Amino acid sequence: MRYSLHVFLLFISSALSAQQFRYVPRHPKPGDVVSFTYTPAASLVNQTVIEGRYVRYAGPATMRLSQPTTATAIRQGNDVVGELKLPKNTVSGLLFAFQSKANPKLIDHNTNHFYPVLVYDSTGSLQPHALGGQASVLIRTAFPYALDVKPDWNWAVQQYEQEIQQFPANRPQYWADLIDAQIKQQKPNAKKTALANIDTYLKSRKPAPTPDDLNNAARLYEQLNEPKLALAVRDRIKTVDPTGDAAQRAQAGAVRAETNLAKKLTDYTSFTQTFPASAYRSMLVSSLAEAYFKAGQFRELNAFLAQQSLKDTDPALLHSFAQQMTDEGHGIPQTDWLASRAIAALQQRTQPKNDPVDRVATLKAYQSTLAYAFDRQNRLGAALATYRQAQDGLAAETTEPRINERILACGIRANRADSVLPYVEAVVRVGRVTPQLRSTLRNWQIKQLGSAAKADTYLAGLEVNYRADRRAELAESFVNEPAPNFTLTTLDGNTVSLASLRGKVVVLDFWATWCGPCIASFPAMRKARDHFKNDPNVQFLFVNTREGGPVSRVRSFIEKQPYTGVVPLDVTKKVSESYGVQGIPTKVIIGPNGRVRYRSLGYSGNADATAEEITLVIEALKQ
């Protein structure tokens, strides 16, 4: 079998990730069913529904076919388990990350390296591209960016070098990407080294470099800001293969790299006249569209796209433009045309076989953006009709809270709130709401029912089952640990002890003035605290710990906050240590019986979700 010291070291370096992510069989082959077990990292421990997001990979030429998808996974105690079937071909491995469904910002991507599933051939040997393909995911797919991965170029270089050593015949496929990753390492003399490596590789190709070699070299020269060298190798391509794929790719690359918009359009026109049936035309349409969009030339963008064939138009790109423009309020008169064009392009495309993308869900997302474009232009009738079309057939549990918020606001502005009320009530019952939707619905019902008390009763009735279900879900993850007693002096000079709070739900929020996530989580904690401001059986303690500076710094900080509360001072850090605080912010909630029932480390960045979770935990413990 083709094992080497490098592969052995790879497995050793994966030991830590193997503690979080395991799978069987250990040497899966194409077509096998792989069962996996994931033990959630700290940021995901308290998440009820965790999704396994993965991308399959193989050689560089097939990476463009790799689309991220979700593996079916269920919670079993402290773990998440699932399974999937490997394709029978075009697969050298899978790269996994795990994400909270309730809060997509909570992601475990194994410190930017993902969790790999390596695939073997029928002899039990590692598949070609199993190592280099992992690095190609960084360079050739959007998967890392969708998951907020910060590329580790040292790791990428190591993966490429191991691939080339393990499979020397794959060097022509990886040499350019390896140099690209080495440039991104930004080591001293990186440019000089890269230029030397390009030259060495081109001279090593016998009897001569291929058009692909030269095209890759041109791309690298441009990246290194050496336009003359790039032009020289492109001229060599024209000599070797004047009308073939490499020549087309070389000229398309030059059009794509052009930064002057007027010249870019001229070069694109020349390209389409020279190669009218080129497969690279759609790529260049996207490149021109992005240039118009970045320049804020929205009318010109629409005019350009109107002249292009729908088959050369990327619907996802157009939808992203329309979505960003509606969200930010830019170029509003052009947004409905862009959104409509995206829908038309999507509907014209034939969905490839085995494409994991849910075409119906994608279409409805596009329709929602079109509805919002109408909404932003006060074309309220068209907006409501399109919102209805976008939501038709969707289960309330799968709707987007932000879109639900827009539907209610649009209905109220159009004096047709009654027409959307049944839909809004259905999504409120399953918790698919934003705080703004809840507030808007409450204010509208105050006018209809005549009092705030009646509106609050109405809302509570809609949410009663959802909140009960969420409390039950959270209760499944409760701990049951003794709560160490403490007595601390507060910032205002009083004392507070846990013993004196027996019979109450006590919330401890460990923080420091220098801790950015701690400060960022304060609005969420204020919301939760304010929810129980009239409840004598709930006590919030904002425990300052690990401050490392004078008390005056804490006092000065608190005085500047829109914030009043009890701030105990854990100067010696004994309380945080007794509660096993590994980092801050840490939230610990103690039940009325004096035992720790809930703890969380860090802050997700979502104030509404954090406030709701803290509130529901307290409600569950009170019951």
Side-chain angles (χ1 to χ4, degrees):
M1 287 195 275
R2 297 189 297 266
Y3 291 113
S4 70
L5 177 59
H6 285 276
V7 178
F8 176 74
L9 291 176
L10 172 71
F11 291 134
I12 294 297
S13 66
S14 300
L16 291 177
S17 65
Q19 297 174 11
Q20 299 280 157
F21 179 71
R22 293 88 66 198
Y23 59 88
V24 292
R26 285 301 302 159
H27 293 166
K29 302 176 182 62
D32 280 357
V33 173
V34 175
S35 300
F36 64 85
T37 301
Y38 169 67
T39 302
S43 60
L44 293 175
V45 165
N46 296 318
Q47 298 302 301
T48 303
V49 181
I50 298 174
E51 297 181 325
R53 297 283 292 163
Y54 73 93
V55 63
R56 75 171 188 265
Y57 65 85
T62 62
M63 292 304 296
R64 60 186 177 82
L65 303 176
S66 297
Q67 297 291 333
T69 189
T70 302
T72 301
I74 58 173
R75 193 75 184 244
Q76 285 190 357
N78 294 328
D79 294 328
V80 174
V81 300
E83 67 176 28
L84 53 86
K85 186 173 183 179
L86 295 175
K88 291 186 177 180
N89 50 36
T90 320
V91 61
S92 298
L94 311 176
L95 289 184
F96 268 86
F98 292 88
Q99 187 172 30
S100 166
K101 185 173 183 180
N103 185 0
K105 291 185 178 179
L106 294 179
I107 305 169
D108 174 18
H109 40 56
N110 191 24
T111 60
N112 302 309
H113 296 164
F114 305 109
Y115 292 101
V117 174
L118 305 183
V119 180
Y120 294 73
D121 64 20
S122 58
T123 69
S125 299
L126 201 62
Q127 287 272 39
H129 309 296
L131 305 175
Q134 296 181 48
S136 290
V137 169
L138 284 182
I139 287 182
R140 294 176 176 264
T141 77
F143 188 54
Y145 305 99
L147 296 173
D148 294 327
V149 167
K150 182 180 180 181
D152 181 346
W153 299 114
N154 294 326
W155 171 80
V157 167
Q158 181 185 41
Q159 297 300 109
Y160 283 136
E161 289 176 341
Q162 289 177 345
E163 175 72 33
I164 292 170
Q165 179 174 349
Q166 190 82 351
F167 302 99
N170 287 345
R171 186 186 180 205
Q173 299 183 57
Y174 286 108
W175 75 275
D177 285 351
L178 170 57
I179 294 176
D180 187 2
Q182 289 170 335
I183 294 170
K184 290 182 170 72
Q185 283 181 298
Q186 297 183 335
K187 289 186 175 181
N189 298 316
K191 179 175 180 177
K192 181 178 180 181
T193 302
L195 291 172
N197 287 342
I198 296 169
D199 185 61
T200 298
Y201 177 79
L202 294 180
K203 288 178 178 177
S204 73
R205 298 290 280 162
K206 303 299 182 184
T210 67
D212 278 343
D213 290 333
L214 296 171
N215 205 32
N216 283 327
R219 174 176 60 82
L220 290 171
Y221 284 138
E222 285 173 344
Q223 186 175 339
L224 293 166
N225 196 26
E226 292 289 345
K228 291 183 178 180
L229 293 175
L231 182 61
V233 293
R234 284 206 167 97
D235 285 340
R236 290 176 67 182
I237 294 174
K238 294 176 185 177
T239 302
V240 174
D241 187 16
T243 61
D245 178 76
Q248 292 181 39
R249 194 167 359 132
Q251 190 168 333
V255 176
R256 192 174 184 182
E258 178 57 58
T259 57
N260 182 284
L261 185 50
K263 188 173 187 307
K264 191 181 188 78
L265 181 60
T266 300
D267 291 348
Y268 167 74
T269 302
S270 174
F271 178 90
T272 56
Q273 292 171 349
T274 306
F275 307 111
S278 174
Y280 298 102
R281 183 168 182 159
S282 59
M283 176 191 75
L284 294 182
V285 169
S286 294
S287 181
L288 263 295
E290 287 177 339
Y292 279 118
F293 180 77
K294 290 177 180 177
Q297 298 183 20
F298 303 125
R299 289 188 180 87
E300 293 80 0
L301 167 64
N302 287 7
F304 169 74
L305 290 171
Q307 297 172 2
Q308 310 308 315
S309 169
L310 277 176
K311 67 181 179 62
D312 292 327
T313 303
D314 181 354
L317 182 66
L318 268 60
H319 175 250
S320 70
F321 292 163
Q323 192 172 46
Q324 186 173 335
M325 290 162 68
T326 51
D327 284 347
E328 298 178 359
H330 299 318
I332 294 302
Q334 285 77 47
T335 51
D336 63 282
W337 187 90
L338 276 172
S340 297
R341 185 78 170 179
I343 291 170
L346 178 70
Q347 291 175 324
Q348 189 189 76
R349 289 194 170 190
T350 301
Q351 186 164 13
K353 200 172 183 180
N354 300 323
D355 186 350
V357 175
D358 187 337
R359 183 64 66 91
V360 173
T362 301
L363 176 61
K364 289 187 174 296
Y366 288 15
Q367 289 170 336
S368 294
T369 298
L370 175 59
Y372 191 41
F374 289 140
D375 195 343
R376 293 293 295 254
Q377 298 175 69
N378 286 319
R379 297 164 63 182
L380 302 180
L384 285 174
T386 311
Y387 277 133
R388 187 177 298 112
Q389 185 180 24
Q391 303 306 306
D392 185 40
L394 289 182
E397 293 84 357
T398 65
T399 59
E400 286 294 327
R402 187 175 63 164
I403 294 173
N404 297 336
E405 174 190 316
R406 292 170 180 170
I407 290 173
L408 175 59
C410 184
I412 291 174
R413 286 166 51 223
N415 294 317
R416 294 173 58 186
D418 287 338
S419 69
V420 301
L421 189 59
Y423 170 84
V424 171
E425 289 179 336
V427 299
V428 172
R429 287 190 180 97
V430 295
R432 303 301 291 171
V433 298
T434 64
Q436 183 59 48
L437 185 152
R438 188 183 284 110
S439 175
T440 301
L441 180 59
R442 179 180 183 272
N443 292 337
W444 185 78
Q445 285 291 11
I446 287 174
K447 295 178 181 178
Q448 310 308 309
L449 301 175
S451 74
K454 289 181 179 179
D456 289 338
T457 300
Y458 161 81
L459 270 176
L462 291 179
E463 295 183 311
V464 61
N465 290 333
Y466 164 73
R467 295 182 72 85
D469 289 344
R470 283 287 290 126
R471 286 195 297 267
E473 288 177 9
L474 289 168
E476 292 179 3
S477 64
F478 281 179
V479 298
N480 189 10
E481 304 166 354
N485 198 14
F486 61 81
T487 299
L488 290 173
T489 301
T490 64
L491 190 60
D492 58 10
N494 295 317
T495 59
V496 62
S497 68
L498 183 61
S500 68
L501 300 174
R502 184 79 175 188
K504 298 183 179 184
V505 175
V506 180
V507 181
L508 306 179
D509 184 3
F510 292 94
W511 70 283
T513 62
W514 50 261
C515 170
C518 299
I519 309 310
S521 72
F522 274 2
M525 298 305 293
R526 281 200 297 271
K527 287 184 180 182
R529 184 206 58 193
D530 290 347
H531 185 83
F532 297 99
K533 63 183 178 182
N534 296 321
D535 191 334
N537 293 315
V538 178
Q539 178 66 59
F540 282 74
L541 300 179
F542 298 91
V543 183
N544 179 263
T545 189
R546 304 183 182 182
E547 184 62 37
V551 172
S552 60
R553 183 166 70 186
V554 182
R555 181 172 289 105
S556 175
F557 175 84
I558 290 295
E559 287 174 351
K560 296 175 184 177
Q561 299 300 308
Y563 193 86
T564 55
V566 180
V567 182
L569 302 172
D570 182 25
V571 177
T572 64
K573 300 185 289 187
K574 288 184 178 179
V575 175
S576 64
E577 290 173 357
S578 69
Y579 277 85
V581 173
Q582 297 179 349
I584 53 176
T586 286
K587 275 74 171 165
V588 175
I589 301 182
I590 302 167
N593 62 352
R595 295 185 69 81
V596 173
R597 303 307 311 280
Y598 169 95
R599 64 171 65 241
S600 70
L601 169 64
Y603 176 53
S604 68
N606 188 324
D608 296 326
T610 299
E612 180 177 83
E613 182 161 319
I614 295 294
T615 300
L616 291 171
V617 169
I618 294 171
E619 288 179 352
L621 294 178
K622 281 171 58 66
Q623 293 181 354

